[in-house]
Amino acid sequence: MPSGSDLYREQIIDHYKRPRNYGELADPTFTHVGENPVCGDEITIDVKLDGETIEDVRFRGDGCAISQAAASLLTSELPGVTLSELYEMDRDTVVDLLGVDISPMRMKCAVLAEKVAQDGAKIYEGELDVDATTTE
Ligand code: FES
């Protein structure tokens, strides 16, 4: 019988191989692309807003199992979330979704999608310069 952490590892592999919410939205409110500067992997996120609330979301990109599984898990949580709630999400939010300990080396992989979604929303709201976005 698999242990708890084995189940989470299986979940990560499942989301990596069969990512949920992968693709594009026809009519996004905003789109943002960001990369992990350490490895060059990229994630693009499309978000459709209904007022302040995320109505729909899609992502695409290439990366390691952690970054892609985190994007799949995070985008599954986002519909119904307000922009304020999105900004309150932090690395613990993603680590909880992944369910495994993330080494400092892999933390940028884990939070890539979350950072891209947050930066995209801040640019949309005029609170962040496009040039200021980086995952550093
Ligand atoms: Fe590139 Fe993880 S190694 S995002």
Side-chain angles (χ1 to χ4, degrees), residues 35-43 62-68 105-110 112:
E35 69 168 7
N36 181 343
V38 177
C39 61
D41 293 346
E42 271 190 2
I43 284 185
D62 282 315
C64 63
I66 295 286
S67 74
Q68 300 304 296
M105 286 283 294
R106 306 310 300 276
M107 192 55 81
K108 281 196 170 72
C109 307
L112 179 59

